[in-house]
Amino acid sequence: MNLIPQASYIQLALRTKETIFGDLNPADEYSYVYDIADKPTNKCIISTYLNNRANITKEQLEEIEG
């Protein structure tokens, strides 16, 4: 989500009736996405590959951790 221009996000939000799922990898400490993520009405889920270990192979795990 942090690679989507703010103007594009605004247009998406204006046209969405229910839920927007945003995936972000913080790269810019001054990005507009923090304002969105920090709203009390939004839910922030922090996860890593460790939350998905049941769905990755041993080889994938070794590659990630290597």
Side-chain angles (χ1 to χ4, degrees), residues 10-30:
I10 291 169
Q11 290 301 312
L12 170 68
L14 290 172
R15 291 166 169 77
T16 303
K17 291 183 180 180
E18 292 188 25
T19 304
I20 297 172
F21 289 90
D23 179 16
L24 67 110
N25 186 2
D28 180 2
E29 63 183 295
Y30 302 109

Side-chain angles (χ1 to χ4, degrees), residues 2 5 21 55:
N2 52 308
F21 289 90
N55 297 303

Side-chain angles (χ1 to χ4, degrees), residues 8-55:
S8 296
Y9 171 78
I10 291 169
Q11 290 301 312
L12 170 68
L14 290 172
R15 291 166 169 77
T16 303
K17 291 183 180 180
E18 292 188 25
T19 304
I20 297 172
F21 289 90
D23 179 16
L24 67 110
N25 186 2
D28 180 2
E29 63 183 295
Y30 302 109
S31 176
Y32 74 95
V33 298
Y34 297 109
D35 295 331
I36 295 166
D38 290 341
K39 286 184 180 179
T41 56
N42 293 333
K43 183 172 185 171
C44 181
I45 301 170
I46 299 171
S47 66
T48 70
Y49 72 96
L50 296 173
N51 302 101
N52 194 33
R53 290 182 82 170
N55 297 303

